[in-house]
Amino acid sequence: MILFSTLLLTSLLAPLPQQDAVILQPDAIVAADGSLQEGMSVVVKEGRIVEVAAEPTTAGTTVRLSGVLAPGMIDAFSGHGADRLLTEQSLKTTPDLRAVDGLQLSSPIWESLMARGVTAVHITPDATNVVAGWGALVSTAGKERVIEAKTRMIGSLVQSAINDDRVGPSSLAGAVEILEATFANAAAKEYRNNMWFFVESAESARAMENLTSDLKDSNNHAILMGEVGSFGGAFAGQLVGLPTMSYGALARRAATWELMHKAGVRFAFGTRAGNREWDSLRTSAMALSRFTGSATAAWASVTSNPAEMLGMESEVGSLKVGARADLVLWTGHPLDSTATVTAVFMDGTTAYRATSEEN
Amino acid sequence: MIISSLLSLCFALPMAQQSESISLSVDRLHVGNGEIIENALVVLEDGKIVSIVPGGSAAGAIHFEGAELSPGLVDAFSFMGVGGASMEESRESTPSIHLADTVALDAPSFANALSEGVTSAYLSPDSFNVIGGLGTVVKTGGGVGANLFADAGSAARIIDREGALKVTLGNDASNGNFTPRGGSTRDFKARRPNTRMGTVWVVRREFYRAKAYQAALADGEKVYDKDLEVLVKVLEGEIPLRVQARRSHDVQTALRLQAEFGWPNLIIEEATEGQEAAAELAAAGVSVATGPAYDAVSRAIARGPQASELKFLAHPPAICCEDIHEVEGLHSGHEDNGLVELSGPALDFLVALAPRYGAASGLNGGRFSEGRSATPALPALLFEAGVSLAMGSAEAHDQTLTEASLIHQARNAVRWGMPAAEALQAITSRAAALCGTADHVGKVEVGFDADVVLWSGDPLDSSSRPLLVILDGRIAVDNRPQQ
């Protein structure tokens, strides 16, 4: 039945990609709060969501889907698909470096990610320079793979950036000095309000706060590395990046995530420096759900939160009208451990379809 | 042992809640300016000292027989929370780097210091650069920490981001630098200076640049240099200049440079051999912040560790004290004074494993080699020569070395000839003066911050211990016996 539906969808969409809307009727959709809503249709036209309603008014071809339809997951910060390292260490700062230029878009990894429900990956330069370069948001399939070539400037206050014997800096203090000088430069106007800083200690967290506190309209965010329990309290009420779950110190991690959730911290999971298994975004969200008891927070951590951190919440990470129709059909709720991906729709067509063996 | 377990108890308890009002009825009050008031009622409210009534008492006031009250101790020179993150070595002059940006306010040193009665401190940048940056003044508790698992209020709190500028004369600033001929030129440690002369040359170069900059500003030129801005503030006396000088000729060099540049607000740090330059210091009216003074440093180098110096192993951080009894051969003969007598195989074992005296005490090679005529009588000798001094713990509180902690240094100074009233001022009001906080810290006076320590006896008696440490009106350490 599932196979039949997806085949049907492909055959219907192929001749009519530009003209007609397609009304997708799954058993349920995953709403923004992570709950399942039955009886809802998602109307897609020209690769965008044009309507989400129980009884859509847009005319089009109706396709019945067996399963749960969800927005694709987003890897908030990742090194997937990088052809060698995404860094240039002959300089202290490399604001002109773009991660998109180091990507291997023909790699088989993208299909593997799709098979796990990931439709967009935010590729970031290695955090080895205090100003490391531009990240890029890339879709795992589709005609135009690069959704945004210059997303956020990556800054780094972690050891790999601040302890450089060849060109400096040799310390966090030196990194702060370089960043202050960089921010004072007119060329930094383009990014100083749109930076993500890798931090790994209370001191680097405070340094970031001092650096960014007098910036107006700042969209700066932190990515928390290392022993987060020792400094996570500095980000109460904020939206932060967090490496996907690895399996050391599990009890401490559970307590850390729970305390952060209680302090109003919202997460966006990324696979860089975390667990890079293709399924790790989903398993991290499942763990977060279990540690915090909040499926809403967990689902947001792999969809709307990374989109918000990127300032692209109208484009990706939700079933909002106007957003890219990067949709994943699951056999059940995506955070249910027995659910698997049936198909991925992108650019108004079926970008990936699980074979019956995989199911 | 009892003391130790009490200490561990106070770490385990959450910080006491904000109390509206605390009344203390004490047998003696050490004001912090040398004055002593017998029998006084001290009332603390909303973080301030609101009244002091000589001879007064009140129902419900905290009272312990024989207990004496002192101001919270002020550490005039320390490295609490200061680590490699704060020292930028790719240049030898970094005046505009603020230690406040990178100091570890969550470091356990602050709790150690607080348990020894220290409520505020000047934190110094480390000494690897000639001009090392701006030190910061903190309260040792009451800050908002980032550690999710720490008690609320257990982090230090910054009260002045620009406490003083650090300059290092002597070995430290050139240690590890090498000439290009000797090493890779691709490494930034292939930098100057390599010598004392080179170090002073860097100081001169930077301050002459600052003078030129100052003149340019006065001429209305539109110039901006963040490093020189700091040096100009030093030249104008707005920011104190602290020069680390251990050997007596380093002290003399500092005074010579002061004459050259007219630094209005100079403080000498450590002055390990300062007694040999005491007359010059007094004549110049320059204050000294001493580092920890140890007994017979040179003896320790010559013969390695002795059983008497292993006290720290028998008096370790509180948390492990219970276990010591279980080690065979270790027994406590003096449970009441908190020390453990070592003998037999256990002693051999500890001696074999013990680090050198220097490492154990947090002294580095630099301070040894730069303290050849160091003497524990330094504070007394400086005082007799008319030099105003305050004391600092340097690294002592980082390692729970109670024998080097601030109060013990004052006790040692008294033992080696300093008048008790002077020694207490050197860790309270005079230290506050060097920290720039003398108008609200360092004395038990109405209107001052409610930072006080209730001691079980005379604070300078080595058997006295803190019963209560109160910081900004909150009970931060509570060692009161159960009544």
Side-chain angles (χ1 to χ4, degrees):
Chain A
M1 178 62 197
I2 294 160
L3 192 62
F4 174 73
S5 301
T6 50
L7 283 173
L8 183 67
L9 181 73
T10 318
S11 58
L12 279 172
L13 285 182
L16 310 162
Q18 302 302 319
Q19 285 82 28
D20 269 14
V22 178
I23 301 163
L24 301 175
Q25 271 187 356
D27 294 338
I29 62 167
V30 181
D33 66 358
S35 67
L36 287 185
Q37 284 184 9
E38 290 179 16
M40 298 293 279
S41 294
V42 177
V43 186
V44 176
K45 189 175 183 186
E46 292 171 9
R48 297 272 163 180
I49 297 169
V50 293
E51 195 181 357
V52 180
E55 291 180 7
T57 55
T58 315
T61 313
T62 300
V63 179
R64 172 84 186 94
L65 299 173
S66 173
V68 171
L69 195 65
M73 294 191 286
I74 305 169
D75 187 342
F77 51 102
S78 168
H80 282 317
D83 188 6
R84 308 186 69 181
L85 296 176
L86 294 176
T87 177
E88 179 53 55
Q89 296 199 40
S90 56
L91 299 165
K92 286 182 198 174
T93 62
T94 49
D96 297 325
L97 196 110
R98 296 188 193 182
V100 71
D101 296 332
L103 285 188
Q104 199 182 347
L105 292 173
S106 57
S107 163
I109 195 174
W110 307 108
E111 191 174 355
S112 302
L113 289 167
M114 248 191 309
R116 272 82 185 172
V118 179
T119 55
V121 180
H122 183 220
I123 313 290
T124 55
D126 296 338
T128 41
N129 282 344
V130 285
V131 179
W134 288 100
L137 188 66
V138 191
S139 65
T140 48
K143 288 191 290 284
E144 292 294 332
R145 294 288 303 284
V146 180
I147 301 173
E148 179 63 63
K150 287 164 79 178
T151 51
R152 291 292 190 252
M153 180 63 75
I154 300 302
S156 176
L157 297 169
V158 300
Q159 277 303 318
S160 50
I162 66 177
N163 204 350
D164 186 337
D165 269 356
R166 288 167 301 178
V167 294
S170 76
S171 63
L172 180 59
V176 169
E177 204 180 29
I178 289 168
L179 281 163
E180 278 171 354
T182 307
F183 284 178
N185 195 319
K189 265 189 189 152
E190 189 185 0
Y191 58 79
R192 67 186 163 209
N193 284 327
N194 294 300
M195 286 192 74
W196 287 9
F197 288 95
F198 282 75
V199 296
E200 62 180 358
S201 62
E203 299 80 69
S204 54
R206 212 171 64 252
M208 176 192 162
E209 195 192 333
N210 291 346
L211 277 165
T212 55
S213 60
D214 54 345
L215 298 176
K216 290 194 180 92
D217 309 320
S218 165
N219 296 310
N220 295 314
H221 290 279
I223 297 175
L224 314 187
M225 312 288 287
E227 220 301 274
V228 177
S230 68
F231 67 95
F235 296 95
Q238 294 188 32
L239 172 58
V240 300
L242 203 65
T244 42
M245 183 146 108
S246 52
Y247 293 92
L250 208 55
R252 168 92 169 177
R253 189 182 311 275
T256 300
W257 288 9
E258 189 189 346
L259 285 170
M260 289 176 75
H261 176 71
K262 279 185 184 157
V265 182
R266 293 182 300 135
F267 305 112
F269 282 115
T271 55
R272 186 180 265 291
N275 182 345
R276 294 183 66 163
E277 298 275 324
W278 298 324
D279 211 20
S280 68
L281 279 183
R282 189 164 80 106
T283 50
S284 297
M286 284 158 60
L288 182 64
S289 170
R290 200 172 135 197
F291 295 160
T292 63
S294 168
T296 303
W299 180 241
S301 71
V302 288
T303 54
S304 57
N305 285 356
E308 185 184 335
M309 251 175 95
L310 286 160
M312 297 179 73
E313 57 268 52
S314 59
E315 278 288 296
V316 288
S318 72
L319 298 180
K320 278 182 193 157
V321 170
R324 287 168 59 97
D326 299 345
L327 306 171
V328 180
L329 185 64
W330 297 83
T331 57
H333 192 294
L335 298 187
D336 174 345
S337 64
T338 62
T340 58
V341 172
T342 309
V344 175
F345 309 121
M346 223 183 279
D347 274 346
T349 186
T350 308
Y352 169 83
R353 194 171 59 218
T355 63
S356 49
E357 287 79 26
E358 276 175 330
N359 274 329
Chain B
M1 209 48 45
I2 293 165
I3 298 172
S4 303
S5 28
L6 280 171
L7 280 177
S8 75
L9 192 64
C10 82
F11 284 123
L13 289 170
M15 301 288 283
Q17 289 80 19
Q18 179 84 40
S19 48
E20 292 290 297
S21 171
I22 297 175
S23 298
L24 298 156
S25 165
V26 299
D27 289 0
R28 291 180 100 197
L29 166 63
H30 300 262
V31 177
N33 57 4
E35 219 179 299
I36 290 174
I37 300 171
E38 303 287 340
N39 298 316
L41 179 69
V42 178
V43 182
L44 316 174
E45 239 171 65
D46 296 330
K48 296 282 174 193
I49 297 165
V50 292
S51 89
I52 300 168
V53 184
S57 69
I62 295 170
H63 176 78
F64 287 94
E65 192 64 40
E68 304 190 10
L69 193 73
S70 80
L73 307 186
V74 182
D75 192 335
F77 165 62
S78 87
F79 292 114
M80 291 186 279
V82 180
S86 305
M87 203 77 242
E88 176 54 32
E89 288 190 82
S90 56
R91 286 175 293 128
E92 68 277 4
S93 170
T94 53
S96 64
I97 283 185
H98 287 70
L99 178 60
D101 289 340
T102 53
V103 66
L105 297 173
D106 282 323
S109 334
F110 294 107
N112 293 340
L114 201 50
S115 74
E116 290 279 306
V118 177
T119 53
S120 65
Y122 170 79
L123 310 181
S124 169
D126 219 325
S127 54
F128 304 145
N129 279 352
V130 180
I131 301 182
L134 292 159
T136 186
V137 181
V138 297
K139 291 281 179 93
T140 51
V144 180
N147 191 328
L148 287 163
F149 297 94
D151 298 328
S154 64
R157 183 167 68 84
I158 291 171
I159 55 176
D160 184 0
R161 278 172 55 80
E162 303 191 343
L165 178 70
K166 170 96 170 183
V167 164
T168 304
L169 298 181
N171 265 347
D172 282 11
S174 55
N175 250 351
N177 293 349
F178 47 74
T179 59
R181 200 165 38 162
S184 162
T185 51
R186 284 177 55 81
D187 190 316
F188 64 67
K189 285 200 187 313
R191 63 174 193 171
R192 289 185 178 80
N194 307 121
T195 61
R196 279 188 155 74
M197 294 167 296
T199 303
V200 175
W201 170 73
V202 172
V203 176
R204 268 209 184 92
R205 181 191 67 190
E206 294 302 310
F207 274 97
Y208 275 115
R209 282 181 63 214
K211 283 201 167 256
Y213 181 78
Q214 195 180 24
L217 286 177
D219 291 348
E221 280 184 46
K222 284 194 175 163
V223 286
Y224 181 78
D225 182 312
K226 66 191 171 64
D227 286 346
L228 298 180
E229 286 285 327
V230 173
L231 297 188
V232 167
K233 281 185 190 171
V234 169
L235 286 170
E236 290 169 354
E238 197 179 319
I239 296 177
L241 180 67
R242 282 168 170 254
V243 176
Q244 176 186 305
R246 293 170 178 153
R247 305 228 53 188
S248 52
H249 58 81
D250 289 333
V251 174
Q252 288 156 351
T253 302
L255 295 176
R256 215 164 42 241
L257 286 168
Q258 187 196 25
E260 190 170 339
F261 293 105
W263 297 324
N265 202 347
L266 173 66
I267 298 160
I268 301 290
E269 278 177 351
E270 301 210 25
T272 317
E273 298 179 344
Q275 77 278 7
E276 294 177 354
E280 291 105 310
L281 281 166
V286 170
S287 298
V288 171
T290 60
Y294 297 90
D295 287 0
V297 171
S298 52
R299 242 183 338 124
I301 300 169
R303 58 165 164 60
Q306 297 284 300
S308 62
E309 290 152 6
L310 292 170
K311 262 188 299 188
F312 74 97
L313 282 174
H315 198 147
I319 200 156
C320 66
C321 293
E322 299 302 322
D323 306 332
I324 273 190
H325 293 290
E326 293 165 18
V327 180
E328 201 184 343
L330 274 181
H331 64 274
S332 168
H334 306 280
E335 292 202 339
D336 54 344
N337 66 8
L339 298 180
V340 175
E341 236 177 26
L342 298 172
S343 64
L347 178 60
D348 297 342
F349 178 70
L350 286 180
V351 169
L353 285 189
R356 301 272 300 176
Y357 184 81
S361 312
L363 288 179
N364 56 29
R367 199 173 291 155
F368 274 140
S369 64
E370 295 193 310
R372 284 170 214 169
S373 53
T375 163
L378 174 69
L381 293 170
L382 288 177
F383 166 71
E384 276 167 26
V387 180
S388 171
L389 78 135
M391 295 177 194
S393 67
E395 301 94 343
H397 291 131
D398 297 352
Q399 303 172 27
T400 56
L401 276 170
T402 48
E403 71 262 43
S405 74
L406 199 58
I407 187 68
H408 282 260
Q409 286 179 61
R411 290 168 183 172
N412 249 347
V414 173
R415 186 180 150 209
W416 290 88
M418 195 178 198
E422 295 295 332
L424 198 58
Q425 287 180 72
I427 55 172
T428 53
S429 58
R430 293 222 173 96
L434 296 195
C435 294
T437 53
D439 57 344
H440 60 108
V441 161
K443 277 189 269 187
V444 181
E445 213 165 79
V446 172
F448 271 50
D449 290 0
D451 300 345
V452 294
V453 184
L454 185 68
W455 302 88
S456 60
D458 183 339
L460 293 178
D461 181 334
S462 64
S463 67
S464 297
R465 58 198 169 88
L467 296 175
L468 280 177
V469 181
I470 297 175
L471 174 63
D472 289 326
R474 280 187 351 169
I475 295 178
V477 176
D478 190 345
N479 289 332
R480 283 177 290 179
Q482 301 288 325
Q483 285 184 323

PDB file of all heavy atoms in Angstrom, chain A residues 177-188:
ATOM      1  N   GLU A 177      40.622  39.542  21.969  1.00  0.00           N
ATOM      2  CA  GLU A 177      41.242  40.740  21.403  1.00  0.00           C
ATOM      3  C   GLU A 177      41.081  40.762  19.872  1.00  0.00           C
ATOM      4  O   GLU A 177      40.722  41.790  19.285  1.00  0.00           O
ATOM      5  CB  GLU A 177      42.722  40.722  21.776  1.00  0.00           C
ATOM      6  CG  GLU A 177      43.359  42.085  21.772  1.00  0.00           C
ATOM      7  CD  GLU A 177      44.826  42.011  22.150  1.00  0.00           C
ATOM      8  OE1 GLU A 177      45.471  40.984  21.897  1.00  0.00           O
ATOM      9  OE2 GLU A 177      45.319  43.021  22.675  1.00  0.00           O
ATOM     10  N   ILE A 178      41.332  39.621  19.256  1.00  0.00           N
ATOM     11  CA  ILE A 178      41.217  39.538  17.791  1.00  0.00           C
ATOM     12  C   ILE A 178      39.770  39.790  17.361  1.00  0.00           C
ATOM     13  O   ILE A 178      39.502  40.512  16.401  1.00  0.00           O
ATOM     14  CB  ILE A 178      41.694  38.152  17.308  1.00  0.00           C
ATOM     15  CG1 ILE A 178      43.214  38.039  17.463  1.00  0.00           C
ATOM     16  CG2 ILE A 178      41.297  37.916  15.853  1.00  0.00           C
ATOM     17  CD1 ILE A 178      43.743  36.630  17.280  1.00  0.00           C
ATOM     18  N   LEU A 179      38.835  39.227  18.102  1.00  0.00           N
ATOM     19  CA  LEU A 179      37.428  39.405  17.738  1.00  0.00           C
ATOM     20  C   LEU A 179      37.000  40.858  17.910  1.00  0.00           C
ATOM     21  O   LEU A 179      36.259  41.402  17.094  1.00  0.00           O
ATOM     22  CB  LEU A 179      36.547  38.470  18.566  1.00  0.00           C
ATOM     23  CG  LEU A 179      36.530  37.033  18.055  1.00  0.00           C
ATOM     24  CD1 LEU A 179      36.003  36.080  19.109  1.00  0.00           C
ATOM     25  CD2 LEU A 179      35.685  36.922  16.791  1.00  0.00           C
ATOM     26  N   GLU A 180      37.488  41.493  18.989  1.00  0.00           N
ATOM     27  CA  GLU A 180      37.155  42.920  19.187  1.00  0.00           C
ATOM     28  C   GLU A 180      37.667  43.739  18.019  1.00  0.00           C
ATOM     29  O   GLU A 180      36.964  44.604  17.490  1.00  0.00           O
ATOM     30  CB  GLU A 180      37.770  43.421  20.496  1.00  0.00           C
ATOM     31  CG  GLU A 180      36.942  43.082  21.721  1.00  0.00           C
ATOM     32  CD  GLU A 180      37.658  43.399  23.034  1.00  0.00           C
ATOM     33  OE1 GLU A 180      38.854  43.779  23.009  1.00  0.00           O
ATOM     34  OE2 GLU A 180      37.018  43.257  24.080  1.00  0.00           O
ATOM     35  N   ALA A 181      38.906  43.464  17.629  1.00  0.00           N
ATOM     36  CA  ALA A 181      39.492  44.208  16.513  1.00  0.00           C
ATOM     37  C   ALA A 181      38.727  43.926  15.224  1.00  0.00           C
ATOM     38  O   ALA A 181      38.464  44.831  14.424  1.00  0.00           O
ATOM     39  CB  ALA A 181      40.963  43.821  16.360  1.00  0.00           C
ATOM     40  N   THR A 182      38.343  42.648  15.037  1.00  0.00           N
ATOM     41  CA  THR A 182      37.607  42.277  13.827  1.00  0.00           C
ATOM     42  C   THR A 182      36.255  42.981  13.771  1.00  0.00           C
ATOM     43  O   THR A 182      35.845  43.508  12.748  1.00  0.00           O
ATOM     44  CB  THR A 182      37.403  40.752  13.788  1.00  0.00           C
ATOM     45  OG1 THR A 182      38.669  40.124  13.952  1.00  0.00           O
ATOM     46  CG2 THR A 182      36.793  40.313  12.478  1.00  0.00           C
ATOM     47  N   PHE A 183      35.570  43.009  14.910  1.00  0.00           N
ATOM     48  CA  PHE A 183      34.239  43.614  14.952  1.00  0.00           C
ATOM     49  C   PHE A 183      34.297  45.122  14.699  1.00  0.00           C
ATOM     50  O   PHE A 183      33.342  45.714  14.212  1.00  0.00           O
ATOM     51  CB  PHE A 183      33.570  43.346  16.305  1.00  0.00           C
ATOM     52  CG  PHE A 183      33.042  41.946  16.450  1.00  0.00           C
ATOM     53  CD1 PHE A 183      32.453  41.532  17.626  1.00  0.00           C
ATOM     54  CD2 PHE A 183      33.135  41.047  15.401  1.00  0.00           C
ATOM     55  CE1 PHE A 183      31.961  40.240  17.758  1.00  0.00           C
ATOM     56  CE2 PHE A 183      32.656  39.752  15.522  1.00  0.00           C
ATOM     57  CZ  PHE A 183      32.071  39.347  16.706  1.00  0.00           C
ATOM     58  N   ALA A 184      35.421  45.733  15.080  1.00  0.00           N
ATOM     59  CA  ALA A 184      35.550  47.171  14.881  1.00  0.00           C
ATOM     60  C   ALA A 184      35.755  47.499  13.404  1.00  0.00           C
ATOM     61  O   ALA A 184      35.619  48.646  12.985  1.00  0.00           O
ATOM     62  CB  ALA A 184      36.713  47.693  15.707  1.00  0.00           C
ATOM     63  N   ASN A 185      36.069  46.477  12.625  1.00  0.00           N
ATOM     64  CA  ASN A 185      36.352  46.653  11.209  1.00  0.00           C
ATOM     65  C   ASN A 185      35.049  46.740  10.409  1.00  0.00           C
ATOM     66  O   ASN A 185      34.116  45.989  10.646  1.00  0.00           O
ATOM     67  CB  ASN A 185      37.167  45.428  10.757  1.00  0.00           C
ATOM     68  CG  ASN A 185      37.831  45.648   9.432  1.00  0.00           C
ATOM     69  OD1 ASN A 185      37.229  46.225   8.527  1.00  0.00           O
ATOM     70  ND2 ASN A 185      39.053  45.186   9.321  1.00  0.00           N
ATOM     71  N   ALA A 186      34.985  47.657   9.447  1.00  0.00           N
ATOM     72  CA  ALA A 186      33.754  47.839   8.666  1.00  0.00           C
ATOM     73  C   ALA A 186      33.358  46.560   7.941  1.00  0.00           C
ATOM     74  O   ALA A 186      32.179  46.277   7.761  1.00  0.00           O
ATOM     75  CB  ALA A 186      33.950  48.967   7.667  1.00  0.00           C
ATOM     76  N   ALA A 187      34.352  45.767   7.548  1.00  0.00           N
ATOM     77  CA  ALA A 187      34.056  44.542   6.796  1.00  0.00           C
ATOM     78  C   ALA A 187      33.251  43.546   7.624  1.00  0.00           C
ATOM     79  O   ALA A 187      32.606  42.652   7.074  1.00  0.00           O
ATOM     80  CB  ALA A 187      35.363  43.898   6.335  1.00  0.00           C
ATOM     81  N   ALA A 188      33.282  43.717   8.946  1.00  0.00           N
ATOM     82  CA  ALA A 188      32.579  42.762   9.808  1.00  0.00           C
ATOM     83  C   ALA A 188      31.094  43.070   9.919  1.00  0.00           C
ATOM     84  O   ALA A 188      30.341  42.295  10.495  1.00  0.00           O
ATOM     85  CB  ALA A 188      33.214  42.750  11.192  1.00  0.00           C
TER      86      ALA A 188
END
